[in-house]
Amino acid sequence: MKITYNGLVNSVTNNIQTNVSKLQDFQLKMSTGKTINKLSDNPISTAKLNILKSKKSQQEQYSKNIDNSLSWVKATENNLMEISNVMVSLREICIEAGNGALNQDSLNSLLPQVAQLKEKLLGDANSTYLGNYIFAGLNTTQKPFEEISGNVVYGGDGNSMVREISFESSIVINMDGKKIFNIDNAVSGSPDVFQIVKNLEQA
């Protein structure tokens, strides 16, 4: 078969273009440090790489969820400790007032302490973390406890705050404020914590 001049030129031109394209690919790989820069480089490897990127993104989100959950739980734990300290102080006042050795003036002198502890207890019940009310359920923008006509009412929704920490694994990170303070007999038939403090004030 006779090779024409034009055919030879076209063949050489095509070879040059192919080599230039390969050279550009090599330069791109050298500059980016990646062997795969576009889908056509290796479709199968690219698909696997996309799956790995997706899994990496998931793991990063799980890690963020875990960190946020730990911070929320720590804030809740610290707040519960404050509430516990208030209750211990109120118990000590009860013991002091109930020993029978105090006259009415001495009993009256305990009233400001009880009122101060009651105010702190209400403040602790409405504590926030990063601007969100800890004991409000999912309604974290609304103050959960309000004193109305001398009685404390609960305005949270009582729902669980769930965080996904791994594939098919989730945890609840909040506590139901209604149950903590036994509002509306959420735990037992006894008066709620705020009513008990109110009874102490009256006593």
Side-chain angles (χ1 to χ4, degrees), residues 144-190:
F145 296 92
E146 293 278 4
E147 187 172 10
I148 301 175
S149 301
N151 297 314
V152 175
V153 296
Y154 183 68
D157 60 22
N159 289 324
S160 297
M161 188 178 292
V162 181
R163 292 291 180 270
E164 192 174 6
I165 58 172
S166 67
F167 182 67
E168 293 186 345
S169 180
S170 301
I171 59 171
V172 176
I173 66 172
N174 68 328
M175 298 187 69
D176 188 348
K178 198 172 185 179
K179 290 183 179 179
I180 291 174
F181 295 96
N182 195 35
I183 303 296
D184 297 331
N185 306 121
V187 177
S188 70
S190 302

Side-chain angles (χ1 to χ4, degrees), residues 5-174:
Y5 173 77
N6 288 337
L8 182 61
V9 170
N10 289 336
S11 178
V12 172
T13 301
N14 290 334
N15 287 335
I16 291 175
Q17 287 177 337
T18 299
N19 289 329
V20 168
S21 178
K22 289 181 179 179
L23 179 60
Q24 289 175 338
D25 284 341
F26 286 135
Q27 288 176 330
L28 181 60
K29 291 175 181 178
M30 289 291 291
S31 63
T32 62
K34 300 177 181 178
T35 58
I36 301 174
N37 290 284
K38 55 185 182 295
L39 182 61
S40 59
D41 290 339
N42 191 325
I44 295 177
S45 295
T46 300
K48 290 181 178 179
L49 183 61
N50 288 335
I51 293 174
L52 290 175
K53 285 181 178 179
S54 177
K55 288 185 177 180
K56 180 184 177 184
S57 178
Q58 274 186 329
Q59 292 301 323
E60 289 174 347
Q61 185 61 52
Y62 290 147
S63 180
K64 289 180 181 179
N65 289 349
I66 291 172
D67 289 341
N68 292 337
S69 298
L70 288 174
S71 297
W72 184 277
V73 170
K74 185 63 177 178
T76 302
E77 181 182 12
N78 291 339
N79 191 251
L80 288 174
M81 183 62 68
E82 290 294 318
I83 293 171
S84 177
N85 290 337
V86 171
M87 299 307 296
V88 169
S89 297
L90 287 169
R91 178 177 178 274
E92 291 173 351
I93 290 176
C94 286
I95 293 173
E96 182 181 357
N99 64 16
L102 300 182
N103 58 31
Q104 190 59 50
D105 288 339
S106 297
L107 290 174
N108 291 342
S109 69
L110 297 176
L111 185 58
Q113 297 180 47
V114 176
Q116 185 177 9
L117 288 170
K118 179 183 177 182
E119 183 178 353
K120 185 179 187 319
L121 185 64
L122 186 59
D124 290 336
N126 287 320
S127 288
T128 61
Y129 173 70
L130 297 179
N132 297 301
Y133 289 102
I134 294 176
F135 299 123
L138 294 181
N139 193 12
T140 58
T141 59
Q142 179 177 332
K143 185 182 292 186
F145 296 92
E146 293 278 4
E147 187 172 10
I148 301 175
S149 301
N151 297 314
V152 175
V153 296
Y154 183 68
D157 60 22
N159 289 324
S160 297
M161 188 178 292
V162 181
R163 292 291 180 270
E164 192 174 6
I165 58 172
S166 67
F167 182 67
E168 293 186 345
S169 180
S170 301
I171 59 171
V172 176
I173 66 172
N174 68 328

